[in-house]
Amino acid sequence: MKVAATRALLTTLGVPALAAGAAWLLQRAWSSRLPEPIAIHWGPSGPDRTASLGGFTAATLGSSAALATAGAVLALVILRHGNGVLRGVLAFYAWLAAFPAALLIAVLTSNLDAPGWQQAGFNGGSVAALAASALAALLGAVVAGPSVPPARQTEELAPGDLSVGLGADQRATWVGSASSRVALVVFVLLLLALAVLPALTGAALPVAVYLIMLIPLAAVLVSTRLRVVVTGAGVQIRFGAFGIWRRRVPLADIAGATVERVTTWGHSGLGIRVNPITGDIYYKVRGGEALALRLHSGRTIAITVDRPEQAAGLVNDLLRQDSPQRS
């Protein structure tokens, strides 16, 4: 816990502090080569907004400090509650808090050696901002280290957990699936739009339109169906119209199974959804009851499959067979 908290603080506070320090040093070194005021915004015809050098520096570095503090507090709260935190989340916090400092570097670079703010150009500044932001994200990922999993759950299966009555020497396999009516309706509507639009406009649509429409069509198609197979080896998930995405969860990784109710648009909607804070994963083609696998790592995998209570019961019975002392 102490090592994880230290890494979290170094990522969320240390990395943005380095970016802010670099921006402040550049401001001090270049102050005599910068116009006053400086250009801070560019429109189609060039610079169109200004600010004083000191005021803009204070605003951007103050924003970095506030974002870094908020990210550090949030990361520590998450760790204290035993939820764990993903490496990518800490790197994102570092990037977000460092971005105002990167913006300051971009503005300083753009105004450097300009006779006045009207002559400042943003081309070099955009490159500087991208480079500083990318460096902050990369450094954040390195400093954060491996993702911290949630506190390991060790609770045993309770007598009241779901069961299908599988005997000690019996074997069984469960196969289930679910489809998304919403996705199917959207898919049909998109196809109809492609067919009707040329008739309404009186001209064939550009090829680029068809290519662009292929993206939502493909996304909807692969989100229409999922299939789940429960065996003594574990749980296999096949997501998409053709089972494109596959995942196998070994029985040894599962602490227990239950039924969880999810909403259609909760957890960011349909598809494969990952909670970046807890690491929980949702395979969703609809709202309603879902098979929820509680992993030993403390995370949960929820799958919106039909008749999830049967799947959960078989998983629990297989776990009892695997560990007789649980029953």
Side-chain angles (χ1 to χ4, degrees):
M1 173 63 183
K2 290 184 178 180
V3 174
T6 301
R7 282 186 172 273
L9 290 176
L10 288 175
T11 305
T12 55
L13 290 178
V15 172
L18 288 176
W24 182 78
L25 289 174
L26 288 176
Q27 191 261 20
R28 296 281 293 178
W30 291 349
S31 59
S32 61
R33 300 168 57 188
L34 296 168
E36 181 64 45
I38 57 174
I40 62 170
H41 187 271
W42 283 257
S45 358
D48 57 11
R49 196 175 305 166
T50 65
S52 68
L53 177 60
F56 189 72
T57 300
T60 50
L61 297 187
S63 297
S64 276
L67 289 170
T69 302
V73 171
L74 182 58
L76 290 180
V77 169
I78 292 171
L79 289 171
R80 185 175 294 275
H81 284 78
N83 291 324
V85 67
L86 300 180
R87 183 181 200 171
V89 173
L90 292 177
F92 173 76
Y93 288 158
W95 170 84
L96 183 63
F99 184 78
L103 178 62
L104 175 59
I105 294 175
V107 169
L108 294 175
T109 306
S110 300
N111 284 271
L112 189 63
D113 293 328
W117 67 267
Q118 297 90 342
Q119 289 76 40
F122 194 66
N123 291 333
S126 60
V127 174
L130 290 173
S133 297
L135 184 60
L138 179 61
L139 185 58
V142 172
V143 174
S147 298
V148 180
R152 185 179 177 87
Q153 295 181 352
T154 58
E155 73 263 16
E156 302 294 342
L157 288 171
D161 282 345
L162 292 171
S163 170
V164 294
L166 190 69
D169 299 323
Q170 293 180 318
R171 292 291 180 267
T173 298
W174 184 90
V175 179
S177 61
S179 300
S180 172
R181 295 179 182 176
V182 173
L184 287 174
V185 170
V186 172
F187 184 77
V188 172
L189 290 176
L190 288 174
L191 288 179
L192 288 175
L194 287 176
V196 171
L197 280 176
L200 294 177
T201 59
L205 295 176
V207 176
V209 174
Y210 289 101
L211 292 177
I212 293 173
M213 291 293 286
L214 283 177
I215 298 174
L217 280 171
V220 171
L221 182 61
V222 300
S223 302
T224 57
R225 186 174 178 81
L226 64 78
R227 186 169 181 264
V228 176
V229 180
V230 180
T231 66
V235 179
Q236 185 182 68
I237 307 165
R238 295 183 180 181
F239 189 85
F242 308 104
I244 297 175
W245 287 279
R246 299 187 181 189
R247 176 172 183 176
R248 188 177 71 85
V249 185
L251 196 66
D253 292 348
I254 303 173
T258 185
V259 172
E260 177 181 334
R261 189 163 191 85
V262 298
T263 60
T264 302
W265 304 114
H267 310 288
S268 302
L270 303 177
I272 302 176
R273 303 299 178 189
V274 181
N275 186 317
I277 295 177
T278 64
D280 295 343
I281 301 178
Y282 292 82
Y283 293 84
K284 294 174 57 184
V285 296
R286 57 159 174 77
E289 293 187 335
L291 167 64
L293 304 175
R294 306 192 307 272
L295 305 185
H296 286 300
S297 66
R299 297 192 170 105
T300 297
I301 298 176
I303 313 113
T304 53
V305 67
D306 295 339
R307 301 182 303 279
E309 69 283 350
Q310 296 178 1
L314 180 56
V315 169
N316 290 336
D317 287 348
L318 291 171
L319 288 172
R320 291 186 180 94
Q321 285 185 348
D322 188 56
S323 300
Q325 67 272 18
R326 295 183 178 187
S327 35

